PDB file of all heavy atoms in Angstrom:
ATOM      1  N   PHE A 407     -54.585  39.262  -2.352  1.00 86.00           N
ATOM      2  CA  PHE A 407     -54.513  37.802  -2.293  1.00 86.00           C
ATOM      3  C   PHE A 407     -55.453  37.176  -3.304  1.00 86.00           C
ATOM      4  O   PHE A 407     -55.054  36.299  -4.086  1.00 86.00           O
ATOM      5  CB  PHE A 407     -54.858  37.335  -0.878  1.00 86.00           C
ATOM      6  CG  PHE A 407     -54.702  35.856  -0.671  1.00 86.00           C
ATOM      7  CD1 PHE A 407     -53.520  35.341  -0.166  1.00 86.00           C
ATOM      8  CD2 PHE A 407     -55.733  34.980  -0.984  1.00 86.00           C
ATOM      9  CE1 PHE A 407     -53.364  33.974   0.025  1.00 86.00           C
ATOM     10  CE2 PHE A 407     -55.593  33.613  -0.794  1.00 86.00           C
ATOM     11  CZ  PHE A 407     -54.410  33.111  -0.291  1.00 86.00           C
ATOM     12  N   TRP A 408     -56.682  37.622  -3.338  1.00 89.00           N
ATOM     13  CA  TRP A 408     -57.683  36.997  -4.200  1.00 89.00           C
ATOM     14  C   TRP A 408     -57.464  37.357  -5.664  1.00 89.00           C
ATOM     15  O   TRP A 408     -57.547  36.492  -6.537  1.00 89.00           O
ATOM     16  CB  TRP A 408     -59.079  37.395  -3.748  1.00 89.00           C
ATOM     17  CG  TRP A 408     -59.279  37.167  -2.289  1.00 89.00           C
ATOM     18  CD1 TRP A 408     -59.361  38.102  -1.297  1.00 89.00           C
ATOM     19  CD2 TRP A 408     -59.358  35.887  -1.623  1.00 89.00           C
ATOM     20  NE1 TRP A 408     -59.497  37.504  -0.067  1.00 89.00           N
ATOM     21  CE2 TRP A 408     -59.507  36.146  -0.237  1.00 89.00           C
ATOM     22  CE3 TRP A 408     -59.332  34.567  -2.065  1.00 89.00           C
ATOM     23  CZ2 TRP A 408     -59.621  35.129   0.700  1.00 89.00           C
ATOM     24  CZ3 TRP A 408     -59.450  33.553  -1.135  1.00 89.00           C
ATOM     25  CH2 TRP A 408     -59.599  33.832   0.226  1.00 89.00           C
ATOM     26  N   SER A 409     -57.182  38.627  -5.933  1.00 89.00           N
ATOM     27  CA  SER A 409     -56.942  39.020  -7.319  1.00 89.00           C
ATOM     28  C   SER A 409     -55.668  38.395  -7.864  1.00 89.00           C
ATOM     29  O   SER A 409     -55.603  37.979  -9.023  1.00 89.00           O
ATOM     30  CB  SER A 409     -56.862  40.554  -7.424  1.00 89.00           C
ATOM     31  OG  SER A 409     -55.803  41.060  -6.620  1.00 89.00           O
ATOM     32  N   GLY A 410     -54.635  38.298  -7.030  1.00 89.00           N
ATOM     33  CA  GLY A 410     -53.400  37.655  -7.460  1.00 89.00           C
ATOM     34  C   GLY A 410     -53.584  36.173  -7.685  1.00 89.00           C
ATOM     35  O   GLY A 410     -52.997  35.604  -8.617  1.00 89.00           O
ATOM     36  N   GLY A 411     -54.390  35.533  -6.835  1.00 90.00           N
ATOM     37  CA  GLY A 411     -54.653  34.112  -7.028  1.00 90.00           C
ATOM     38  C   GLY A 411     -55.344  33.833  -8.347  1.00 90.00           C
ATOM     39  O   GLY A 411     -55.039  32.853  -9.033  1.00 90.00           O
ATOM     40  N   ILE A 412     -56.274  34.709  -8.726  1.00 91.00           N
ATOM     41  CA  ILE A 412     -56.977  34.539 -10.001  1.00 91.00           C
ATOM     42  C   ILE A 412     -56.056  34.851 -11.178  1.00 91.00           C
ATOM     43  O   ILE A 412     -56.038  34.132 -12.180  1.00 91.00           O
ATOM     44  CB  ILE A 412     -58.223  35.448 -10.036  1.00 91.00           C
ATOM     45  CG1 ILE A 412     -59.225  35.000  -8.962  1.00 91.00           C
ATOM     46  CG2 ILE A 412     -58.875  35.421 -11.414  1.00 91.00           C
ATOM     47  CD1 ILE A 412     -60.395  35.931  -8.799  1.00 91.00           C
ATOM     48  N   ARG A 413     -55.274  35.900 -11.046  1.00 91.00           N
ATOM     49  CA  ARG A 413     -54.441  36.343 -12.171  1.00 91.00           C
ATOM     50  C   ARG A 413     -53.351  35.336 -12.514  1.00 91.00           C
ATOM     51  O   ARG A 413     -53.097  35.052 -13.690  1.00 91.00           O
ATOM     52  CB  ARG A 413     -53.801  37.693 -11.827  1.00 91.00           C
ATOM     53  CG  ARG A 413     -52.861  38.208 -12.905  1.00 91.00           C
ATOM     54  CD  ARG A 413     -52.240  39.528 -12.505  1.00 91.00           C
ATOM     55  NE  ARG A 413     -51.303  40.007 -13.511  1.00 91.00           N
ATOM     56  CZ  ARG A 413     -50.579  41.104 -13.385  1.00 91.00           C
ATOM     57  NH1 ARG A 413     -50.682  41.850 -12.280  1.00 91.00           N
ATOM     58  NH2 ARG A 413     -49.738  41.465 -14.350  1.00 91.00           N
ATOM     59  N   TYR A 414     -52.705  34.788 -11.494  1.00 92.00           N
ATOM     60  CA  TYR A 414     -51.551  33.908 -11.737  1.00 92.00           C
ATOM     61  C   TYR A 414     -51.894  32.433 -11.592  1.00 92.00           C
ATOM     62  O   TYR A 414     -50.985  31.604 -11.586  1.00 92.00           O
ATOM     63  CB  TYR A 414     -50.419  34.253 -10.758  1.00 92.00           C
ATOM     64  CG  TYR A 414     -49.858  35.645 -10.954  1.00 92.00           C
ATOM     65  CD1 TYR A 414     -50.170  36.671 -10.065  1.00 92.00           C
ATOM     66  CD2 TYR A 414     -49.014  35.930 -12.020  1.00 92.00           C
ATOM     67  CE1 TYR A 414     -49.656  37.943 -10.245  1.00 92.00           C
ATOM     68  CE2 TYR A 414     -48.499  37.199 -12.208  1.00 92.00           C
ATOM     69  CZ  TYR A 414     -48.825  38.203 -11.320  1.00 92.00           C
ATOM     70  OH  TYR A 414     -48.320  39.464 -11.498  1.00 92.00           O
ATOM     71  N   TYR A 415     -53.165  32.099 -11.499  1.00 93.00           N
ATOM     72  CA  TYR A 415     -53.553  30.707 -11.278  1.00 93.00           C
ATOM     73  C   TYR A 415     -53.025  29.791 -12.381  1.00 93.00           C
ATOM     74  O   TYR A 415     -52.324  28.816 -12.120  1.00 93.00           O
ATOM     75  CB  TYR A 415     -55.071  30.607 -11.187  1.00 93.00           C
ATOM     76  CG  TYR A 415     -55.578  29.192 -11.010  1.00 93.00           C
ATOM     77  CD1 TYR A 415     -55.511  28.574  -9.772  1.00 93.00           C
ATOM     78  CD2 TYR A 415     -56.101  28.473 -12.081  1.00 93.00           C
ATOM     79  CE1 TYR A 415     -55.966  27.276  -9.587  1.00 93.00           C
ATOM     80  CE2 TYR A 415     -56.549  27.170 -11.912  1.00 93.00           C
ATOM     81  CZ  TYR A 415     -56.483  26.580 -10.666  1.00 93.00           C
ATOM     82  OH  TYR A 415     -56.922  25.280 -10.509  1.00 93.00           O
ATOM     83  N   PHE A 416     -53.346  30.115 -13.622  1.00 94.00           N
ATOM     84  CA  PHE A 416     -52.940  29.243 -14.720  1.00 94.00           C
ATOM     85  C   PHE A 416     -51.447  29.363 -15.024  1.00 94.00           C
ATOM     86  O   PHE A 416     -50.862  28.441 -15.584  1.00 94.00           O
ATOM     87  CB  PHE A 416     -53.758  29.550 -15.972  1.00 94.00           C
ATOM     88  CG  PHE A 416     -55.177  29.070 -15.880  1.00 94.00           C
ATOM     89  CD1 PHE A 416     -56.209  29.958 -15.609  1.00 94.00           C
ATOM     90  CD2 PHE A 416     -55.482  27.732 -16.033  1.00 94.00           C
ATOM     91  CE1 PHE A 416     -57.517  29.513 -15.511  1.00 94.00           C
ATOM     92  CE2 PHE A 416     -56.791  27.277 -15.940  1.00 94.00           C
ATOM     93  CZ  PHE A 416     -57.813  28.170 -15.670  1.00 94.00           C
ATOM     94  N   ARG A 417     -50.822  30.476 -14.647  1.00 93.00           N
ATOM     95  CA  ARG A 417     -49.385  30.606 -14.839  1.00 93.00           C
ATOM     96  C   ARG A 417     -48.607  29.681 -13.909  1.00 93.00           C
ATOM     97  O   ARG A 417     -47.426  29.414 -14.146  1.00 93.00           O
ATOM     98  CB  ARG A 417     -48.945  32.060 -14.611  1.00 93.00           C
ATOM     99  CG  ARG A 417     -49.454  33.033 -15.648  1.00 93.00           C
ATOM    100  CD  ARG A 417     -48.695  34.327 -15.584  1.00 93.00           C
ATOM    101  NE  ARG A 417     -49.221  35.322 -16.501  1.00 93.00           N
ATOM    102  CZ  ARG A 417     -48.678  36.512 -16.733  1.00 93.00           C
ATOM    103  NH1 ARG A 417     -47.564  36.840 -16.092  1.00 93.00           N
ATOM    104  NH2 ARG A 417     -49.223  37.358 -17.566  1.00 93.00           N
ATOM    105  N   ILE A 418     -49.254  29.232 -12.833  1.00 94.00           N
ATOM    106  CA  ILE A 418     -48.636  28.258 -11.936  1.00 94.00           C
ATOM    107  C   ILE A 418     -49.116  26.855 -12.252  1.00 94.00           C
ATOM    108  O   ILE A 418     -48.328  25.893 -12.251  1.00 94.00           O
ATOM    109  CB  ILE A 418     -48.931  28.626 -10.465  1.00 94.00           C
ATOM    110  CG1 ILE A 418     -48.198  29.924 -10.092  1.00 94.00           C
ATOM    111  CG2 ILE A 418     -48.530  27.495  -9.526  1.00 94.00           C
ATOM    112  CD1 ILE A 418     -48.437  30.369  -8.662  1.00 94.00           C
ATOM    113  N   LEU A 419     -50.401  26.712 -12.556  1.00 94.00           N
ATOM    114  CA  LEU A 419     -50.964  25.381 -12.797  1.00 94.00           C
ATOM    115  C   LEU A 419     -50.378  24.729 -14.046  1.00 94.00           C
ATOM    116  O   LEU A 419     -49.973  23.555 -14.013  1.00 94.00           O
ATOM    117  CB  LEU A 419     -52.485  25.472 -12.924  1.00 94.00           C
ATOM    118  CG  LEU A 419     -53.212  24.168 -13.267  1.00 94.00           C
ATOM    119  CD1 LEU A 419     -52.997  23.132 -12.173  1.00 94.00           C
ATOM    120  CD2 LEU A 419     -54.695  24.426 -13.501  1.00 94.00           C
ATOM    121  N   VAL A 420     -50.312  25.467 -15.151  1.00 93.00           N
ATOM    122  CA  VAL A 420     -49.861  24.878 -16.414  1.00 93.00           C
ATOM    123  C   VAL A 420     -48.396  24.444 -16.346  1.00 93.00           C
ATOM    124  O   VAL A 420     -48.064  23.306 -16.735  1.00 93.00           O
ATOM    125  CB  VAL A 420     -50.112  25.850 -17.582  1.00 93.00           C
ATOM    126  CG1 VAL A 420     -49.569  25.260 -18.884  1.00 93.00           C
ATOM    127  CG2 VAL A 420     -51.602  26.141 -17.721  1.00 93.00           C
ATOM    128  N   PRO A 421     -47.462  25.279 -15.861  1.00 93.00           N
ATOM    129  CA  PRO A 421     -46.077  24.781 -15.729  1.00 93.00           C
ATOM    130  C   PRO A 421     -45.967  23.591 -14.781  1.00 93.00           C
ATOM    131  O   PRO A 421     -45.145  22.696 -15.010  1.00 93.00           O
ATOM    132  CB  PRO A 421     -45.319  25.993 -15.176  1.00 93.00           C
ATOM    133  CG  PRO A 421     -46.138  27.164 -15.543  1.00 93.00           C
ATOM    134  CD  PRO A 421     -47.549  26.705 -15.504  1.00 93.00           C
ATOM    135  N   LEU A 422     -46.798  23.579 -13.738  1.00 93.00           N
ATOM    136  CA  LEU A 422     -46.773  22.445 -12.817  1.00 93.00           C
ATOM    137  C   LEU A 422     -47.157  21.152 -13.531  1.00 93.00           C
ATOM    138  O   LEU A 422     -46.533  20.109 -13.331  1.00 93.00           O
ATOM    139  CB  LEU A 422     -47.727  22.709 -11.657  1.00 93.00           C
ATOM    140  CG  LEU A 422     -47.816  21.619 -10.583  1.00 93.00           C
ATOM    141  CD1 LEU A 422     -46.453  21.413  -9.913  1.00 93.00           C
ATOM    142  CD2 LEU A 422     -48.869  21.986  -9.548  1.00 93.00           C
ATOM    143  N   LEU A 423     -48.162  21.219 -14.387  1.00 93.00           N
ATOM    144  CA  LEU A 423     -48.562  20.046 -15.161  1.00 93.00           C
ATOM    145  C   LEU A 423     -47.474  19.640 -16.153  1.00 93.00           C
ATOM    146  O   LEU A 423     -47.235  18.450 -16.368  1.00 93.00           O
ATOM    147  CB  LEU A 423     -49.875  20.334 -15.896  1.00 93.00           C
ATOM    148  CG  LEU A 423     -51.105  20.565 -15.011  1.00 93.00           C
ATOM    149  CD1 LEU A 423     -52.318  20.921 -15.870  1.00 93.00           C
ATOM    150  CD2 LEU A 423     -51.399  19.337 -14.163  1.00 93.00           C
TER     151      LEU A 423
END
Side-chain angles (χ1 to χ4, degrees):
F407 185 94
W408 309 108
S409 60
I412 295 173
R413 177 181 178 183
Y414 296 105
Y415 178 78
F416 287 102
R417 293 196 184 186
I418 292 180
L419 176 62
V420 177
L422 181 61
L423 295 177

